[in-house]
Amino acid sequence: MIYSIENSAIKITASDHGAELHSITGKKEGTEYLWNGDPKYWKYHSPILFPIVGNLVNSKYRVDEKSYQLPSHGLGRISDFKFISQTNDSITFELKYSDDTIKRYPYKFTLLISYTIEANTIKVTYNVMNLDNKNISFSIGAHPAFMCPIEDNEKLEDYYLQFDKRETSDIMEITNEGYFSHKRKECLKDTDIMPLSKDLFKDDALVFDDLKSDKITIKSKNHEKSISLEFKGFPYMGIWAPKGGAPFLCIEPWFGHADYEDFTGEFKEKEGAISLAIGEEFKYSYKISIVE
């Protein structure tokens, strides 16, 4: 089922399937800022990545010496969440452990996803609670896809990314199988601008682990409309569009990332994995803002 909330500046919709944001519409001109999910390019809009981010080696991982299997990006984006509540400015969904989830992810947990609007901004909040009698391990991340170009008469090369701080940063190299190789590639050198082009993503996503910036904005050379994502505290950032080009761009803040190609350890030993003690909660937010 699709739920919607709106104010004088924006209207958003979200589905209980995957607790996924489906639309961000500017009220001033009716402009759509979130990708429409056309399966010709990519069938999602803004999936929740949980309890893993990216790919596992051979789709498998180990907990307490037992092997489990998960698809790329885990359970969040393919699960039906429970609708919890709606107010004039917020919607909340819940994914709670079940007999089915424990077969694939052997922990007892609750994941709450909340969307809150204020003026032209959407605050997206993740809240993971450990309901188990042991520590649990997980990763979590966002994968929102934004219209790029925003206007029909533009092309990708009309756009650029604006970082809120000047960056000198390499990217983590990705193998053909979608794992990390421990190698790095030069990317940003004392700049706060990244011009966009199809070639930028010929080797898959650009993944950063040392950005100083807390905000990235998609901007056009032709007009003032823009989309910003503020991700303070998230240690990893992925920027992605499909190889060969597509009319959208993903800006993805993560806690955790795909496996290194040689990783053979326990899930709790994965770089970036979060360990949550009995009875504890993990709560983090990021913000999406539009300018019309």
Side-chain angles (χ1 to χ4, degrees), residues 7 206 229:
N7 59 22
L206 309 180
L229 192 143

Side-chain angles (χ1 to χ4, degrees), residues 10-287:
I10 57 174
K11 177 180 179 178
I12 70 169
T13 65
S15 172
D16 53 6
H17 182 69
E20 185 179 5
L21 198 61
H22 273 219
S23 174
I24 301 172
T25 306
K27 299 285 283 289
K28 184 177 180 181
E29 296 184 16
T31 302
E32 178 58 63
Y33 289 87
L34 197 69
W35 171 239
N36 58 27
D38 182 350
K40 175 183 175 182
Y41 296 100
W42 193 58
K43 68 179 181 179
Y44 297 97
H45 309 266
S46 181
I48 308 298
L49 315 183
F50 175 87
I52 60 169
V53 172
N55 296 322
L56 300 168
V57 173
N58 298 321
S59 300
K60 295 180 180 179
Y61 69 105
R62 287 189 298 115
V63 174
D64 298 331
E65 298 299 326
K66 186 175 179 180
S67 180
Y68 297 87
Q69 192 163 345
L70 281 173
S72 177
H73 294 317
L75 299 174
R77 68 176 180 172
I78 59 174
S79 295
D80 290 323
F81 283 62
K82 180 181 178 182
F83 169 72
I84 295 297
S85 64
Q86 179 173 351
T87 68
N88 289 336
D89 59 7
S90 71
I91 312 169
T92 300
F93 302 98
E94 178 189 53
L95 179 65
K96 190 173 183 180
Y97 78 92
S98 65
D99 290 343
D100 180 56
T101 65
I102 285 177
K103 292 175 185 176
R104 294 181 284 175
Y105 175 63
Y107 296 116
K108 296 179 180 180
F109 69 93
T110 290
L111 167 62
L112 294 175
I113 306 293
S114 296
Y115 299 102
T116 305
I117 57 173
E118 183 177 356
N120 64 334
T121 296
I122 306 108
K123 182 180 181 181
V124 185
T125 302
Y126 301 148
N127 189 354
V128 182
M129 289 165 275
N130 182 355
L131 304 182
D132 219 317
N133 59 2
K134 58 188 175 185
N135 288 5
I136 70 172
S137 298
F138 66 93
S139 292
I140 193 166
H143 202 320
F146 302 109
M147 297 299 295
C148 189
I150 296 171
E151 300 286 14
D152 291 338
N153 60 348
E154 296 180 297
K155 57 186 184 298
L156 180 64
E157 288 75 14
D158 292 327
Y159 282 76
Y160 61 95
L161 296 182
Q162 173 93 57
F163 295 79
D164 71 332
K165 296 182 176 66
R166 296 186 74 85
E167 299 285 356
T168 296
S169 181
D170 297 337
I171 55 172
M172 302 167 67
E173 186 178 81
I174 299 175
T175 70
N176 292 333
E177 295 74 29
Y179 313 131
F180 288 106
S181 70
H182 296 288
K183 298 178 182 178
R184 304 177 76 86
K185 294 181 180 179
E186 288 187 359
C187 187
L188 300 173
K189 189 170 183 180
D190 192 26
T191 183
D192 59 356
I193 297 293
M194 178 186 287
L196 294 176
S197 68
K198 293 179 182 178
D199 286 345
L200 198 58
F201 306 104
K202 60 183 176 59
D203 297 321
D204 211 332
L206 309 180
V207 179
F208 300 90
D209 62 358
D210 61 357
L211 290 179
K212 298 188 292 290
S213 295
D214 294 325
K215 183 167 74 170
I216 298 174
T217 304
I218 302 173
K219 291 187 173 183
S220 171
K221 303 171 186 175
N222 304 319
H223 54 75
E224 296 302 313
K225 290 183 179 180
S226 68
I227 310 158
S228 296
L229 192 143
E230 185 178 342
F231 54 98
K232 187 173 183 179
F234 284 76
Y236 302 97
M237 168 55 67
I239 299 171
W240 176 77
K243 296 177 184 179
F248 67 86
L249 180 74
C250 295
I251 301 178
E252 310 174 35
W254 303 333
F255 282 88
H257 59 70
D259 277 353
Y260 284 106
E261 60 183 343
D262 59 353
F263 182 71
T264 59
E266 290 261 325
F267 186 35
K268 64 183 179 183
E269 298 168 339
K270 274 174 60 76
E271 182 176 278
I274 297 163
S275 180
L276 201 59
I278 300 169
E280 284 193 344
E281 297 185 18
F282 168 93
K283 191 172 186 178
Y284 249 89
S285 300
Y286 71 94
K287 294 179 180 180

